[in-house]
Amino acid sequence: MEQPKWTCPQCSGVISPEDTVLFGRGRLSHLDCRRRRILSADERALLSTYCQDHRVPCATCGASFYLSELVFDPIIGGRTHLCPWCRRDLTASVREHLYQCALLPEHVRRVARAARDTARILVKESRQLQDNADVLMREAEAAVAALRETVRKLPARSP
């Protein structure tokens, strides 16, 4: 049985555990529906504090670049980390660097990983809760249908 998908209330797109999410008002949504895996404000703050002078590799062209050299394209909404040579989105590489950076204090790295992992778990558990709610809804619908069938089969009362 396929696991139900949690959808973003803003764009109706499926939220995957790898997406950057906001949680509030009892629901999940994408931080940015057009670029679902962008860096969060906290991740950007950690990068600017600890990793300004670090290089990030581009798997496509083989070069590596300082974070300040990565292109921010305002046409596609900014905050996307593009390779200046081949224009490949390096957001995943930047995030990977952040969570593996040896210069990031261990306790900060641990808290950052915990926050990211908690968001992933929240998405997965939300899917499970939605699945449980769907099962209960089907059971309730079946019970109502059985009740209606029973009422329909009852003999008519005579006055």
PDB file of all heavy atoms in Angstrom, residues 122-137:
ATOM      1  N   LEU A 122       9.086  14.887  11.370  1.00  0.00           N
ATOM      2  CA  LEU A 122       7.764  15.496  11.414  1.00  0.00           C
ATOM      3  C   LEU A 122       6.999  15.238  10.125  1.00  0.00           C
ATOM      4  O   LEU A 122       5.814  14.896  10.149  1.00  0.00           O
ATOM      5  CB  LEU A 122       7.885  16.998  11.677  1.00  0.00           C
ATOM      6  CG  LEU A 122       6.593  17.790  11.768  1.00  0.00           C
ATOM      7  CD1 LEU A 122       5.729  17.273  12.907  1.00  0.00           C
ATOM      8  CD2 LEU A 122       6.901  19.265  11.977  1.00  0.00           C
ATOM      9  N   VAL A 123       7.676  15.373   8.993  1.00  0.00           N
ATOM     10  CA  VAL A 123       7.016  15.095   7.712  1.00  0.00           C
ATOM     11  C   VAL A 123       6.586  13.634   7.648  1.00  0.00           C
ATOM     12  O   VAL A 123       5.450  13.320   7.282  1.00  0.00           O
ATOM     13  CB  VAL A 123       7.948  15.444   6.518  1.00  0.00           C
ATOM     14  CG1 VAL A 123       7.364  14.938   5.207  1.00  0.00           C
ATOM     15  CG2 VAL A 123       8.180  16.945   6.455  1.00  0.00           C
ATOM     16  N   LYS A 124       7.482  12.728   8.038  1.00  0.00           N
ATOM     17  CA  LYS A 124       7.155  11.298   7.993  1.00  0.00           C
ATOM     18  C   LYS A 124       6.020  10.956   8.944  1.00  0.00           C
ATOM     19  O   LYS A 124       5.097  10.228   8.583  1.00  0.00           O
ATOM     20  CB  LYS A 124       8.391  10.457   8.313  1.00  0.00           C
ATOM     21  CG  LYS A 124       9.430  10.498   7.221  1.00  0.00           C
ATOM     22  CD  LYS A 124      10.673   9.734   7.614  1.00  0.00           C
ATOM     23  CE  LYS A 124      11.741   9.850   6.534  1.00  0.00           C
ATOM     24  NZ  LYS A 124      12.972   9.174   6.902  1.00  0.00           N
ATOM     25  N   GLU A 125       6.074  11.491  10.174  1.00  0.00           N
ATOM     26  CA  GLU A 125       5.018  11.190  11.143  1.00  0.00           C
ATOM     27  C   GLU A 125       3.695  11.825  10.737  1.00  0.00           C
ATOM     28  O   GLU A 125       2.635  11.266  10.999  1.00  0.00           O
ATOM     29  CB  GLU A 125       5.437  11.633  12.543  1.00  0.00           C
ATOM     30  CG  GLU A 125       6.485  10.712  13.134  1.00  0.00           C
ATOM     31  CD  GLU A 125       6.872  11.074  14.549  1.00  0.00           C
ATOM     32  OE1 GLU A 125       6.296  12.019  15.126  1.00  0.00           O
ATOM     33  OE2 GLU A 125       7.755  10.387  15.092  1.00  0.00           O
ATOM     34  N   SER A 126       3.748  12.983  10.105  1.00  0.00           N
ATOM     35  CA  SER A 126       2.522  13.609   9.620  1.00  0.00           C
ATOM     36  C   SER A 126       1.859  12.720   8.583  1.00  0.00           C
ATOM     37  O   SER A 126       0.635  12.599   8.545  1.00  0.00           O
ATOM     38  CB  SER A 126       2.831  14.980   9.017  1.00  0.00           C
ATOM     39  OG  SER A 126       3.308  15.854  10.006  1.00  0.00           O
ATOM     40  N   ARG A 127       2.674  12.081   7.759  1.00  0.00           N
ATOM     41  CA  ARG A 127       2.126  11.135   6.777  1.00  0.00           C
ATOM     42  C   ARG A 127       1.446   9.972   7.483  1.00  0.00           C
ATOM     43  O   ARG A 127       0.372   9.535   7.087  1.00  0.00           O
ATOM     44  CB  ARG A 127       3.226  10.614   5.868  1.00  0.00           C
ATOM     45  CG  ARG A 127       3.709  11.615   4.868  1.00  0.00           C
ATOM     46  CD  ARG A 127       4.783  11.013   4.000  1.00  0.00           C
ATOM     47  NE  ARG A 127       5.223  11.966   3.007  1.00  0.00           N
ATOM     48  CZ  ARG A 127       6.213  11.739   2.179  1.00  0.00           C
ATOM     49  NH1 ARG A 127       6.866  10.598   2.227  1.00  0.00           N
ATOM     50  NH2 ARG A 127       6.559  12.637   1.300  1.00  0.00           N
ATOM     51  N   GLN A 128       2.079   9.466   8.543  1.00  0.00           N
ATOM     52  CA  GLN A 128       1.492   8.341   9.282  1.00  0.00           C
ATOM     53  C   GLN A 128       0.196   8.766   9.960  1.00  0.00           C
ATOM     54  O   GLN A 128      -0.781   8.019   9.958  1.00  0.00           O
ATOM     55  CB  GLN A 128       2.485   7.807  10.310  1.00  0.00           C
ATOM     56  CG  GLN A 128       3.674   7.119   9.687  1.00  0.00           C
ATOM     57  CD  GLN A 128       4.772   6.803  10.688  1.00  0.00           C
ATOM     58  OE1 GLN A 128       4.736   7.241  11.818  1.00  0.00           O
ATOM     59  NE2 GLN A 128       5.768   6.044  10.249  1.00  0.00           N
ATOM     60  N   LEU A 129       0.169   9.967  10.535  1.00  0.00           N
ATOM     61  CA  LEU A 129      -1.058  10.460  11.161  1.00  0.00           C
ATOM     62  C   LEU A 129      -2.165  10.623  10.132  1.00  0.00           C
ATOM     63  O   LEU A 129      -3.323  10.298  10.387  1.00  0.00           O
ATOM     64  CB  LEU A 129      -0.798  11.792  11.865  1.00  0.00           C
ATOM     65  CG  LEU A 129       0.057  11.735  13.121  1.00  0.00           C
ATOM     66  CD1 LEU A 129       0.377  13.142  13.618  1.00  0.00           C
ATOM     67  CD2 LEU A 129      -0.645  10.940  14.213  1.00  0.00           C
ATOM     68  N   GLN A 130      -1.793  11.110   8.957  1.00  0.00           N
ATOM     69  CA  GLN A 130      -2.780  11.265   7.891  1.00  0.00           C
ATOM     70  C   GLN A 130      -3.308   9.896   7.476  1.00  0.00           C
ATOM     71  O   GLN A 130      -4.507   9.731   7.255  1.00  0.00           O
ATOM     72  CB  GLN A 130      -2.150  11.984   6.698  1.00  0.00           C
ATOM     73  CG  GLN A 130      -3.139  12.292   5.594  1.00  0.00           C
ATOM     74  CD  GLN A 130      -2.494  13.070   4.463  1.00  0.00           C
ATOM     75  OE1 GLN A 130      -1.293  13.307   4.440  1.00  0.00           O
ATOM     76  NE2 GLN A 130      -3.301  13.473   3.513  1.00  0.00           N
ATOM     77  N   ASP A 131      -2.424   8.913   7.405  1.00  0.00           N
ATOM     78  CA  ASP A 131      -2.841   7.553   7.067  1.00  0.00           C
ATOM     79  C   ASP A 131      -3.821   7.017   8.112  1.00  0.00           C
ATOM     80  O   ASP A 131      -4.860   6.456   7.774  1.00  0.00           O
ATOM     81  CB  ASP A 131      -1.601   6.643   6.979  1.00  0.00           C
ATOM     82  CG  ASP A 131      -1.930   5.272   6.425  1.00  0.00           C
ATOM     83  OD1 ASP A 131      -2.879   5.153   5.628  1.00  0.00           O
ATOM     84  OD2 ASP A 131      -1.231   4.313   6.797  1.00  0.00           O
ATOM     85  N   ASN A 132      -3.492   7.213   9.406  1.00  0.00           N
ATOM     86  CA  ASN A 132      -4.394   6.767  10.472  1.00  0.00           C
ATOM     87  C   ASN A 132      -5.736   7.482  10.395  1.00  0.00           C
ATOM     88  O   ASN A 132      -6.791   6.872  10.597  1.00  0.00           O
ATOM     89  CB  ASN A 132      -3.758   7.000  11.848  1.00  0.00           C
ATOM     90  CG  ASN A 132      -2.564   6.113  12.094  1.00  0.00           C
ATOM     91  OD1 ASN A 132      -2.393   5.094  11.428  1.00  0.00           O
ATOM     92  ND2 ASN A 132      -1.729   6.493  13.039  1.00  0.00           N
ATOM     93  N   ALA A 133      -5.717   8.775  10.124  1.00  0.00           N
ATOM     94  CA  ALA A 133      -6.961   9.533   9.997  1.00  0.00           C
ATOM     95  C   ALA A 133      -7.780   9.018   8.818  1.00  0.00           C
ATOM     96  O   ALA A 133      -9.011   8.914   8.906  1.00  0.00           O
ATOM     97  CB  ALA A 133      -6.659  11.022   9.831  1.00  0.00           C
ATOM     98  N   ASP A 134      -7.117   8.680   7.707  1.00  0.00           N
ATOM     99  CA  ASP A 134      -7.822   8.142   6.542  1.00  0.00           C
ATOM    100  C   ASP A 134      -8.493   6.813   6.877  1.00  0.00           C
ATOM    101  O   ASP A 134      -9.624   6.561   6.473  1.00  0.00           O
ATOM    102  CB  ASP A 134      -6.861   7.960   5.359  1.00  0.00           C
ATOM    103  CG  ASP A 134      -6.427   9.281   4.750  1.00  0.00           C
ATOM    104  OD1 ASP A 134      -7.078  10.315   5.032  1.00  0.00           O
ATOM    105  OD2 ASP A 134      -5.431   9.281   4.003  1.00  0.00           O
ATOM    106  N   VAL A 135      -7.805   5.953   7.631  1.00  0.00           N
ATOM    107  CA  VAL A 135      -8.373   4.667   8.029  1.00  0.00           C
ATOM    108  C   VAL A 135      -9.605   4.892   8.904  1.00  0.00           C
ATOM    109  O   VAL A 135     -10.658   4.285   8.699  1.00  0.00           O
ATOM    110  CB  VAL A 135      -7.324   3.793   8.763  1.00  0.00           C
ATOM    111  CG1 VAL A 135      -7.975   2.598   9.428  1.00  0.00           C
ATOM    112  CG2 VAL A 135      -6.241   3.343   7.796  1.00  0.00           C
ATOM    113  N   LEU A 136      -9.475   5.787   9.884  1.00  0.00           N
ATOM    114  CA  LEU A 136     -10.615   6.076  10.762  1.00  0.00           C
ATOM    115  C   LEU A 136     -11.783   6.670   9.967  1.00  0.00           C
ATOM    116  O   LEU A 136     -12.948   6.356  10.236  1.00  0.00           O
ATOM    117  CB  LEU A 136     -10.198   7.029  11.884  1.00  0.00           C
ATOM    118  CG  LEU A 136      -9.234   6.440  12.912  1.00  0.00           C
ATOM    119  CD1 LEU A 136      -8.748   7.536  13.862  1.00  0.00           C
ATOM    120  CD2 LEU A 136      -9.895   5.316  13.680  1.00  0.00           C
ATOM    121  N   MET A 137     -11.479   7.516   8.993  1.00  0.00           N
ATOM    122  CA  MET A 137     -12.528   8.114   8.166  1.00  0.00           C
ATOM    123  C   MET A 137     -13.246   7.022   7.365  1.00  0.00           C
ATOM    124  O   MET A 137     -14.481   7.018   7.279  1.00  0.00           O
ATOM    125  CB  MET A 137     -11.927   9.153   7.220  1.00  0.00           C
ATOM    126  CG  MET A 137     -12.968   9.933   6.461  1.00  0.00           C
ATOM    127  SD  MET A 137     -13.906  11.019   7.532  1.00  0.00           S
ATOM    128  CE  MET A 137     -12.902  12.445   7.450  1.00  0.00           C
TER     129      MET A 137
END
